[in-house]
Amino acid sequence: QVQLVESGGGLVQAGGSLRLSCAASGRTFSSAGMGWFCQAPGNEREFVAAIGWSGGTYYADSVKGRFTISRDNAKNTLYLQMNNLKPEDTAVYYCAARRTLGILDKAWGYDYWGQGTQVTVSS
């Protein structure tokens, strides 16, 4: 079993930055594909970014050039650096982990989920 705990959300003005963290425990973190998803009220959960075991990354078009996903395998921690935030980025952000190594932009391919952290961007 894997436990994921997100932190770092909050309220920020448009153009500001936040750094989300996801602490993982219970399984070998370094061999798992990891990702960030977000869900706004009334919307489905959407892909934000993913990172493979070797550090390869993939981003949703809406966040390319603004968000950076990274991982520290020694600390069993996943990060999402969010710059130039926009009001449309407002959502609950979820950390997710796969049992396999690869990158995937589909929520159904992830086996473990955190409880989510709220990000609110004011205009």
Side-chain angles (χ1 to χ4, degrees):
Q1 190 69 320
V2 173
Q3 293 79 44
L4 303 172
V5 179
E6 302 98 335
S7 61
L11 174 64
V12 64
Q13 288 188 333
S17 298
L18 285 174
R19 189 193 196 199
L20 305 184
S21 298
C22 173
S25 62
R27 188 178 179 268
T28 302
F29 175 80
S30 61
S31 63
M34 305 287 294
W36 289 98
F37 289 76
C38 68
Q39 188 168 18
N43 291 356
E44 294 186 352
R45 196 163 294 190
E46 297 179 351
F47 171 74
V48 176
I51 186 167
W53 69 277
S54 62
T57 58
Y58 182 66
Y59 296 92
D61 287 343
S62 59
V63 306
K64 282 180 182 177
R66 299 189 299 123
F67 291 9
T68 302
I69 187 172
S70 62
R71 64 193 299 165
D72 186 335
N73 290 337
K75 296 182 178 179
N76 281 358
T77 303
L78 179 72
Y79 302 100
L80 185 68
Q81 178 66 45
M82 310 165 71
N83 297 331
N84 191 22
L85 282 159
K86 304 176 181 180
E88 51 263 42
D89 295 321
T90 295
V92 177
Y93 283 74
Y94 296 91
C95 168
R98 308 185 68 201
R99 291 196 185 100
T100 59
L101 306 175
I103 295 174
L104 186 67
D105 61 351
K106 302 295 190 294
W108 52 256
Y110 288 79
D111 304 290
Y112 307 101
W113 293 84
Q115 82 290 347
T117 185
Q118 176 70 47
V119 171
T120 303
V121 185
S122 63
S123 56

